[in-house]
Amino acid sequence: MKLAFAMPHMLELKATMQPWETAVTGADQTALAKWAEKLGFEMIAVPEHHAIPRDHVALSGAFYFSAFTAMSHFAGATERLRVNSCIAILPAQHPIVTAKALATMDWLSSGRVTVTFAVGWLEEEFALLGIPFHERGAMADEYIQAIIALWTQENPEFEGKYVSFRDLAFEPKPVQKPHIPVWFGGDADAVLRRTARHAQGWWPFLTRPETIPERLDFIRSQPDYNGRLEDVFYGISTARVGEGHKVQDDPRARPGQSKDELIARLGELSRLGVTWSSVPVPPLSGIEAYRDYTQWIAEEIMPAVR
């Protein structure tokens, strides 16, 4: 089991946010990224929304990064740590722009990029961006094919309803081959079918952990399964966040679990097919206490679950 580092103050969800996090600055996060790498955490994943309607702020918070910008920063601050999104909204920008941003990041980081795409769920955000919400799935299906074509073809071509191109040069290509690892986030059958066709990883959010094996079977049973699914991310605290970012109570996801409880839970998730996870943070007083807790994870939990 690989562990991701839960960077504080990357979002302000009511379900998981602690008051001290609002004082964490960009400079603090840069130092924490270096600290995470030193401790042996293997990934930082960046959430993304572009705009939050006022009536969603109470649950979702207003604070979100642009995923690719923040990923690039964390990659530049480290030497070995992987960077990922959790998630990047695939229909939100033109796929040539997305492909270029990620290929540039992979090139400059010497191949340390993974990207988790999703189609998005907040209809009002799509309205603000001028993107047709009910066409987002079809757009995502085209966009991911176009992005992979740009990354892998010497003379990229794609013809679709939402994007078409030919007779263009596209460099740099990603360092990683055949391309940057692509994961999809979400739980619907359409997401899993998209994962089967195009992805190397899956990041569920609302899926109950005990049903992960049957959902993996669903992915692998698709007639166009690419045979490349390698990773599943499920953080221990995932079950604290419900649909629309509603607060949920799940004792298995509670913060402040003991060493034995955390090791047992991570072992259980591993047996269900999870390859990446993260540990929930107990109530703390501030950033120094957080550094101490993450060091405890590195010393007491990591050796037992790797």
Side-chain angles (χ1 to χ4, degrees):
M1 177 73 74
K2 298 177 181 179
L3 293 182
F5 185 82
M7 180 66 72
H9 203 202
M10 284 208 291
L11 73 175
E12 298 177 353
L13 289 184
K14 182 178 181 181
T16 58
M17 179 75 173
Q18 295 193 34
W20 63 269
E21 291 187 56
T22 58
V24 173
T25 67
D28 292 330
Q29 291 171 324
T30 303
L32 284 169
K34 298 175 186 292
W35 174 247
E37 182 170 70
K38 179 180 178 180
L39 291 177
F41 288 89
E42 298 191 54
M43 179 187 290
I44 292 174
V46 181
E48 176 176 86
H49 278 287
H50 298 287
I52 300 294
R54 284 288 177 193
D55 60 359
H56 281 272
V57 169
L59 289 176
S60 299
F63 190 98
Y64 289 90
F65 291 135
S66 168
F68 302 154
T69 306
M71 289 164 63
S72 293
H73 177 77
F74 292 134
T78 56
E79 296 180 357
R80 300 177 305 279
L81 198 73
R82 291 197 72 80
V83 293
N84 196 351
S85 51
C86 65
I87 51 66
I89 303 172
L90 182 53
Q93 63 182 7
H94 196 283
I96 293 178
V97 176
T98 296
K100 176 64 74 172
L102 289 163
T104 301
M105 195 191 314
D106 201 58
W107 175 272
L108 291 172
S109 69
S110 301
R112 292 186 285 127
V113 177
T114 298
V115 61
T116 303
F117 288 123
V119 300
W121 60 271
L122 189 50
E123 185 169 357
E124 297 94 326
E125 182 177 15
F126 278 71
L128 290 166
L129 296 173
I131 300 168
F133 180 76
H134 296 291
E135 298 178 46
R136 69 196 191 284
M139 294 173 71
D141 286 334
E142 286 194 8
Y143 281 18
I144 188 56
Q145 293 177 73
I147 288 166
I148 291 174
L150 290 161
W151 284 344
T152 60
Q153 296 176 12
E154 183 176 350
N155 298 297
E157 294 185 2
F158 186 80
E159 186 72 30
K161 176 181 177 182
Y162 300 100
V163 57
S164 298
F165 51 78
R166 64 178 62 248
D167 300 323
L168 82 161
F170 183 91
E171 293 187 18
K173 303 294 189 187
V175 171
Q176 298 176 89
K177 303 301 179 187
H179 56 72
I180 292 166
V182 172
W183 300 0
F184 277 100
D187 307 275
D189 286 356
V191 174
L192 273 62
R193 287 192 288 267
R194 198 170 292 120
T195 300
R197 288 192 297 272
H198 304 297
Q200 294 75 57
W202 174 46
W203 194 318
F205 293 100
L206 302 178
T207 299
R208 298 191 310 278
E210 60 271 18
T211 68
I212 286 175
E214 65 188 64
R215 300 303 276 161
L216 292 174
D217 288 343
F218 179 85
I219 292 171
R220 294 178 174 127
S221 71
Q222 297 306 300
D224 51 358
Y225 173 50
N226 66 11
R228 297 179 60 206
L229 182 67
E230 298 174 358
D231 287 303
V232 177
F233 192 111
Y234 190 90
I236 291 178
S237 63
T238 298
R240 296 167 64 193
V241 184
E243 189 169 2
H245 292 162
K246 292 179 181 177
V247 179
Q248 293 188 156
D249 182 24
D250 186 327
R252 300 173 301 176
R254 76 185 190 281
Q257 296 181 48
S258 69
K259 172 183 174 179
D260 289 345
E261 288 174 318
L262 289 171
I263 291 171
R265 184 59 175 152
L266 289 167
E268 180 184 359
L269 291 173
S270 179
R271 289 188 290 276
L272 292 171
V274 175
T275 60
W276 285 87
S277 191
S278 59
V279 174
V281 180
L284 298 173
S285 58
I287 194 168
E288 289 307 315
Y290 184 67
R291 289 171 70 95
D292 290 343
Y293 185 69
T294 53
Q295 182 170 353
W296 178 80
I297 294 171
E299 293 175 352
E300 299 294 334
I301 307 301
M302 278 186 193
V305 300
R306 281 182 168 165

